[in-house]
Structures are given as C-alpha cells and as structure tokens.
Amino acid sequence: MGIRKSTLEEVAAAAGVSKMTASRALRGAPDVSPETRQRVLNATEQLGYVGNRLALSLSSRKTNLVAVVVPSMSNIVFPEVLAGISAGLEGSGMQAVFGLSDYDAGKERDVIRDMLSWRPSAIIVTGLDQPEDTVKMLRSADIPVIQIMDLDGTPIDFNVGLSHGKAGEEMARALIAAGRRRFGYIGSALERDLRAAKRRAGFERVLHENRLAFIGQRLGDTLSSVGLGKHLTHELLRAEPNLDCIYYSNDDMAVGGAFASVEAFRSDDILMAGFNGLELAAALPVRIATSRSPRRLIGEVAARLACDPIASNASSSSKITAFVPEITGVV
Amino acid sequence: MGIRKSTLEEVAAAAGVSKMTASRALRGAPDVSPETRQRVLNATEQLGYVGNRLALSLSSRKTNLVAVVVPSMSNIVFPEVLAGISAGLEGSGMQAVFGLSDYDAGKERDVIRDMLSWRPSAIIVTGLDQPEDTVKMLRSADIPVIQIMDLDGTPIDFNVGLSHGKAGEEMARALIAAGRRRFGYIGSALERDLRAAKRRAGFERVLHENRLAFIGQRLGDTLSSVGLGKHLTHELLRAEPNLDCIYYSNDDMAVGGAFASVEAFRSDDILMAGFNGLELAAALPVRIATSRSPRRLIGEVAARLACDPIASNASSSSKITAFVPEITGVV
DNA sequence: ATGAAAGCGCTAACAG
DNA sequence: CTGTTAGCGCTTTCAT
C-alpha cells in the first residue's frame, strides 16, 4: 500500500529514453546531453517522481543510513545529542535512524539487530557497556561502530565522549577544595544509568581519599526528574539537616534539589552539585554546581566519523575522542 | 561497505533446503516441518545471519516504516512526542524514522521528500501549515498522512492534536476570571513557531472581548529558552512594573519568567502563565499557570493510526482526534 | 552519449 | 510440506 508510485522506467518512457539514461540524468552524470537531461527532468516533474531508495540501496549496496541508539528521550540530554548528529550529518547525504533502548540491555540488543537489518553505513550507540552478544553482533556487522558519551571501558571501534568516573572525581575535588565537607548523595536507577553510577563511584573515590564519605543518601527507583530530585532532597534534608553539599546523579535531580533548598530556606548554606550543564541550570535563581558535558558536540563528532571514518580518523590518528567537562558554580 | 553479510541463500544452503523454505522457516510460517525449521534456525545462528530489510521491503512492497517530521529537538516537548510514537509503535513491527525541520518550511519539504523516498507506510508531520507544494507531495505519496499537535487549519488526512487558538483563549478567560487585568506578553520567533503565534492570537482575542489589551510585551528572536524568558521578563518588569500577569509563548519561557519574578521579589504579586505543562513547572518553588498539552498521548495516538489507519479510523469514525488541554495553576 | 543484460536479496504466486 | 519461476526498482558492467 502506498508503495506504488511512478518508477524510473515510466520517467524514462515519458522522456523517450532508456532507464539508464534517465538514471544518469537524474544523478547528474557528466555524460548526458543537456537536452536529454532536460527532457528527463521535465518528465520527473510531470510525474511527481520520487526515487525509490530501497531499490537504489539494494542495487548499489550502500544505504547512506546511520543507525543511532540512545537510551531515552525523556531527558533533554539525548535529544540534544541527536540534534548534534543531525547537524553533523547535514549536507553529507546521510540519514539518521533512531532507536530507543529505555536503558535496557535486552531491548538495546533487539533494537540494534533491527537497525542492522537496514544495512546502515555506520552505527552510533550510547555507552561502552553492551553485553557480549550485542558486541558480537556489532562487530560482525562489519561497519564503523561509534560508541558515544562514555569513555570508561573498552571501545569496539570508535569512541567519542568523556570519562564519567573522572567527572565525578573532579567534581569531588573541586567541592572539597572549596571547603565542602558534609556530603550527601541523591540519585536514581543507578543500576540502569551506568554513567551516573560511574560518576558516583568516582566522586566517592575522592571522598575516601580525603577520609570523607557520604553522610546520607537517597536513591529513587524511577528515572531521574526534577520532581523526584526535589522530593528526595526534602527527605534527605530532614534526615540529615547538617549537610553542606549534595551530589546528584544529574542536573535534573540537582535542579529539583535547588528548588527544595529554596523551599526549606537552606539555599545559602548548602550547595547542590549535578552533571550536564543544562541551559536551565544556568538560569536558576540559586546557584548550583555542575560539569558541562559537550553533548551536542559529541553528536556532531560522531556524525562526522559516521560519514567518513577514514578521513576523520586519519586526521586525529586515534579512534578515541576525549572531552573534559568544565566545572562551574562551585563555591 | 559493510553491506556484505550472509544471505538467505547461504543460510538455505547450510541448512540443505531451498531459499523459500528458509524464508518460511524464519518468518514462522505454519507449513514447515519442525526439524527443517530447526536446521534453518541453527544455520542462521551459525552464520550470524541478519535479514536484509531492503530486499524484504522491495520484494514485498511494504516497508513497515513510519516517517516522522518534527521541528526541533531542543525543547523537551518534541522528544516526548517521539517517545510516545515509539511506544505506540512497540510490538507492531513498525519502525519510526525521524527528521528535523528546524521550524523551516523549505527544510521541511526537503526532509519530507527524502523520507518519502524510503517509501514509508505512513507519515507523521507536525502542524497544519505546510505550504502548497509540500501538501501536494504528501498527497501524492498515497499513504496515510497524520498531522499532529495543531488542529487549527485544514488537515490533509488524519489530524491529532489540540486547538492552540482555543488554548490561548481559555487561558485568557481563566486568568481574567481569577481577577488578573494588567497583562504582558513574552515570546520569541513567533513567525516560525506558528502554534505559539496562534495561542497568542487566541489570548489577545479574549483580552479584546473584555476591553483589555497587552500593556507591554517583549519578543525575542532566538528560539525559546528558560534563559531568554528570564532575560526578557527582567526587561519587561523594568519597563512595566505594574503588570499583574505575563503570558508566555510556552513553559520554558514562563519558567524563566518565574525565576525572574523570584529575583525581583515579585513572585507574590504577579502570575506567570505558559503552555505545555512541563514536569519541571510542577516542581517549581513558585506557582505558574499552564495548559497541559497531552503530547506523549498525541504521539501514541498518531502511531496507532500509522499502524492501522483503517481500524483506528473505523472505531473513531472521524479522522480528527481532538484534545483539550487542562489549565492548572491559575490564581 | 546511450542502451541491454544481469543481478542486488528477498517474497509472491504457483506448482508439486 | 517444499521447490520453481518471476519479479520488486534500481545500478553495475559491458557494449555500441
């Protein structure tokens, strides 16, 4: 249904040439006489011809498709990555196809298998923690695999992102240097959001190095959100009133924490620290600390690699592109 | 490159059957002997065979692809629509392909043309204000066209959304009923965000009916954001200190306005009103008014229509699915 | 500069 | 239950 549209053959007939000539004319091949080309173009216009990429790709054995798998759409971070990819692909003739894993390894495997059946020219996946069977599938696809966001692990092929372990460490160092000592932690679904778990681990590592520890914490089990962050913060502040800093699994949660601190009249004596550097966080009436993740840029770089893995790779000589998040708002 | 993988023929050979039998076995056709099926499955496993959907779709003349075009990814609203679509498609065997228009009609046309070349089974586009040539292209694609989000206009085929004109009207009525009289307006890029413009027009219509008008306004020219809303609010409050309510183009801007009101110690005597009903807005330490748009649901309904336009249509008897946003926070 | 033949990997439509 | 014959709409390759 709906797949029935005019074909190259009909265009060719209307223009009084062969399929091949029509094909060449449409693709702008050099060896077609100007008038023939014009006749073909007219016929195309006339019939409202739209090429069939299924046939094109099957025949030419290239799809110009980039498969992209991200865990979620309900946090603005991944849409921004996708926007970056979309921008990075612009003008390259490549098309992105997106799939969602919902932070679920099994679902991720299925989605990847599904996308591979379209024979994409490259695939971009989030994180480095795919189970072995997924990795095997990715390897045997025999196309460039670009793992993004995370750097803590062993990449399959290309890798663009940042070390979340180090991001947690650096944030802890900055906060301790600024004089913070009584830390709490608030996060959620860490068994699914592995990057948030790595940040927490890094943070805790530095606390221990400094003979410190989280005095209290609250862990939600639904996905992170501003409302959840606010709720858990109220709970934690009630249980542990003398914290001077709370580290959150991300900025959404930290913004909720900031709201809670305002409501509890604690915004002056406790600092909330998150991760991502959301636009929103910068506009807040109270200051929060955060590490800015260059997520849009990560998307653009990954897209560039997907377009031309050879050239992009040659120029950088390494298959790993590492970013270091910038810390702001620590006082 | 990369498109070379094992084929059905190889699987069939390895299993000692014909291509057709292998094909039937893999698709779970009823008339294949259990042992034959097992042999085929083994061969599939062995070779790491992944079906080629290009060939499948070309041959069977159906793609199970749903094309989706949204204007942007930088506002959480559209990712949520996509998540809804993704959820609504789950289990149907359909796959969504996304494209971005950047709120640009020309780009939208190109993106749509591009997507149509994949011969999708249905297409979902945002809004009702496509230029004529785009509409013509959509019509001649001869597949279900589902226009989402907006209801104010003439749909091509299916239509799922809400009336933004009425949403603006209702918000104005509610605010006036609550005693608000001195209104300001803050928005941005209204020549591109047509739905925001429709809300503003509806709002203004009701103001006029009540012999009221916007006392002051500020219009940004970049896309809406919390930071922009905050900045423009500070400006407007300085120029017009005695407003008692500001209507914003959406919740992002209104949240910025709420932050500004806190910073200006005006949060008790002025009400900020937006549109969308963001999760964030509900967690704010100050109250804002908003109309909750059922964007995720719109995505799910659209997806269902894309899967089975006949059945879905029969049950509702109409090609239009209208939602009415719920107003909250008006005081 | 143009055309004819072959085939991409799969399924539909018939046989047996 | 299984196999055979034709394509799907395009490009590739080789002629002319």
Side-chain angles (χ1 to χ4, degrees):
Chain A
M1 165 191 202
I3 210 170
R4 171 77 196 116
K5 299 209 56 174
S6 52
T7 69
L8 221 208
E9 184 139 36
E10 289 168 31
V11 172
V17 295
S18 73
K19 266 180 4 182
M20 264 326 296
T21 304
S23 169
R24 289 187 182 109
L26 288 178
R27 281 179 295 159
D31 44 1
V32 176
S33 77
E35 48 179 276
T36 303
R37 167 162 320 181
Q38 198 47 58
R39 292 222 311 286
V40 173
L41 258 31
N42 291 154
T44 302
E45 178 81 6
Q46 203 84 147
L47 300 175
Y49 172 73
V50 176
N52 185 333
R53 283 187 78 151
L54 295 165
L56 188 162
S57 297
L58 183 60
S59 172
S60 65
R61 292 125 157 292
K62 46 164 57 171
T63 53
N64 290 129
L65 228 52
V66 179
V68 183
V69 182
V70 294
S72 149
M73 285 289 205
S74 44
N75 181 304
I76 190 65
V77 165
F78 291 107
E80 287 181 356
V81 173
L82 298 186
I85 291 176
S86 200
L89 250 34
E90 185 113 47
S92 70
M94 293 270 182
Q95 252 271 321
V97 243
F98 303 128
L100 289 184
S101 72
D102 280 334
Y103 285 106
D104 178 311
K107 206 161 174 182
E108 182 183 49
R109 174 177 28 72
D110 295 345
V111 169
I112 290 177
R113 194 210 316 290
D114 230 70
M115 314 218 92
L116 288 180
S117 72
W118 286 103
R119 298 294 187 270
S121 305
I123 182 166
I124 299 175
V125 298
T126 306
L128 290 164
D129 302 284
Q130 288 76 22
E132 203 174 327
D133 57 341
T134 304
V135 170
K136 197 177 152 194
M137 211 166 63
L138 250 12
R139 278 235 161 73
S140 65
D142 196 33
I143 53 176
V145 174
I146 302 150
Q147 286 165 299
I148 59 170
M149 305 314 281
D150 196 4
L151 240 43
D152 299 335
T154 311
I156 296 174
D157 192 3
F158 293 101
N159 193 191
V160 184
L162 55 96
S163 165
H164 290 262
K166 278 189 193 156
E169 289 176 6
E170 290 306 322
M171 180 56 90
R173 282 200 189 97
L175 291 168
I176 291 172
R180 304 284 164 177
R181 288 296 178 276
R182 306 187 57 80
F183 293 97
Y185 178 83
I186 287 180
S188 74
L190 295 185
E191 67 290 349
R192 300 209 285 156
D193 187 347
L194 301 177
R195 286 172 292 287
K198 288 173 180 177
R199 294 193 292 272
R200 182 192 198 283
F203 196 99
E204 206 162 26
R205 224 175 290 136
V206 170
L207 287 189
H208 291 342
E209 281 171 12
N210 289 270
R211 302 176 181 282
L212 293 167
F214 287 126
I215 291 171
Q217 66 172 357
R218 281 296 180 280
L219 297 172
D221 38 11
T222 58
L223 280 186
S224 66
S225 71
V226 177
L228 179 60
K230 177 169 155 178
H231 171 71
L232 294 178
T233 301
H234 275 306
E235 275 192 21
L236 185 56
L237 287 180
R238 218 171 295 132
E240 299 289 348
N242 57 357
L243 296 175
D244 63 10
C245 183
I246 302 179
Y247 188 49
Y248 291 83
S249 53
N250 64 30
D251 272 5
D252 295 78
M253 299 288 276
V255 165
F259 291 166
S261 78
V262 168
E263 292 177 356
F265 305 103
R266 295 285 308 273
S267 56
D268 284 334
D269 64 63
I270 184 166
L271 178 64
M272 308 316 200
F275 176 83
N276 268 333
L278 295 190
E279 190 261 336
L280 165 65
L284 240 39
V286 298
R287 184 199 305 261
I288 71 171
T290 189
S291 324
R292 186 181 313 282
S293 70
R295 48 206 179 275
R296 187 183 164 96
L297 187 56
I298 288 176
E300 288 181 24
V301 170
R304 222 97 61 190
L305 280 169
C307 290
D308 195 348
I310 319 292
S312 315
N313 188 31
S315 67
S316 66
S317 88
S318 158
K319 295 202 154 194
I320 299 179
T321 308
F323 290 100
V324 176
E326 176 202 3
I327 290 178
T328 61
V330 171
V331 284
Chain B
M1 167 189 202
I3 208 169
R4 171 77 195 115
K5 299 208 54 170
S6 54
T7 69
L8 222 210
E9 184 139 35
E10 289 168 29
V11 171
V17 296
S18 75
K19 262 175 17 177
M20 265 325 294
T21 304
S23 169
R24 288 186 184 112
L26 288 179
R27 280 179 296 161
D31 44 2
V32 176
S33 78
E35 46 179 278
T36 303
R37 169 160 321 182
Q38 199 46 59
R39 292 223 311 283
V40 173
L41 258 29
N42 291 155
T44 302
E45 178 81 8
Q46 203 83 149
L47 299 175
Y49 172 73
V50 176
N52 184 332
R53 284 187 79 150
L54 295 165
L56 188 162
S57 298
L58 183 60
S59 171
S60 65
R61 294 131 152 290
K62 46 164 56 172
T63 52
N64 291 129
L65 228 51
V66 179
V68 182
V69 183
V70 294
S72 147
M73 285 289 204
S74 43
N75 181 305
I76 190 66
V77 165
F78 291 107
E80 286 181 358
V81 173
L82 298 186
I85 291 176
S86 200
L89 251 33
E90 185 111 48
S92 70
M94 294 271 184
Q95 252 271 320
V97 237
F98 304 127
L100 289 183
S101 72
D102 279 334
Y103 285 106
D104 178 310
K107 206 160 172 180
E108 183 184 46
R109 174 177 29 72
D110 295 345
V111 169
I112 290 177
R113 193 210 315 291
D114 229 70
M115 313 220 92
L116 288 180
S117 72
W118 286 103
R119 297 297 187 270
S121 305
I123 181 165
I124 299 174
V125 298
T126 305
L128 291 165
D129 301 286
Q130 288 75 23
E132 205 175 325
D133 57 340
T134 305
V135 170
K136 195 176 154 196
M137 211 166 62
L138 250 12
R139 279 234 161 73
S140 66
D142 196 34
I143 53 176
V145 174
I146 302 150
Q147 287 165 298
I148 59 170
M149 307 312 282
D150 196 4
L151 239 43
D152 300 335
T154 311
I156 296 175
D157 191 4
F158 293 101
N159 193 191
V160 184
L162 56 95
S163 165
H164 289 261
K166 278 190 193 154
E169 289 177 7
E170 290 306 322
M171 180 57 89
R173 283 199 190 97
L175 291 167
I176 291 171
R180 303 287 165 175
R181 288 296 178 276
R182 305 189 56 80
F183 293 96
Y185 179 82
I186 287 179
S188 74
L190 295 184
E191 68 291 346
R192 301 209 286 157
D193 186 347
L194 301 177
R195 286 172 292 287
K198 289 173 181 178
R199 293 193 292 275
R200 182 191 199 283
F203 196 99
E204 204 161 27
R205 226 176 288 136
V206 170
L207 286 190
H208 292 341
E209 281 170 13
N210 289 271
R211 302 179 182 279
L212 293 168
F214 286 126
I215 292 171
Q217 67 173 357
R218 281 295 180 282
L219 296 172
D221 39 10
T222 58
L223 280 186
S224 67
S225 71
V226 177
L228 179 60
K230 176 170 156 179
H231 171 71
L232 293 177
T233 302
H234 275 306
E235 274 192 22
L236 184 57
L237 286 180
R238 217 171 296 132
E240 300 287 347
N242 56 355
L243 297 174
D244 64 9
C245 183
I246 302 179
Y247 189 48
Y248 291 82
S249 53
N250 64 29
D251 272 6
D252 295 78
M253 299 288 278
V255 166
F259 291 166
S261 78
V262 168
E263 291 178 358
F265 305 103
R266 295 286 307 272
S267 56
D268 284 333
D269 64 65
I270 184 165
L271 179 63
M272 308 317 199
F275 175 83
N276 269 333
L278 295 191
E279 190 260 338
L280 165 65
L284 240 39
V286 298
R287 184 198 306 262
I288 71 170
T290 189
S291 322
R292 187 182 310 283
S293 70
R295 49 207 179 272
R296 188 185 165 96
L297 189 54
I298 288 176
E300 286 180 26
V301 171
R304 224 96 63 191
L305 280 169
C307 290
D308 195 348
I310 320 290
S312 315
N313 189 32
S315 67
S316 65
S317 88
S318 159
K319 294 202 153 194
I320 297 180
T321 308
F323 291 101
V324 177
E326 176 204 2
I327 290 178
T328 62
V330 171
V331 286

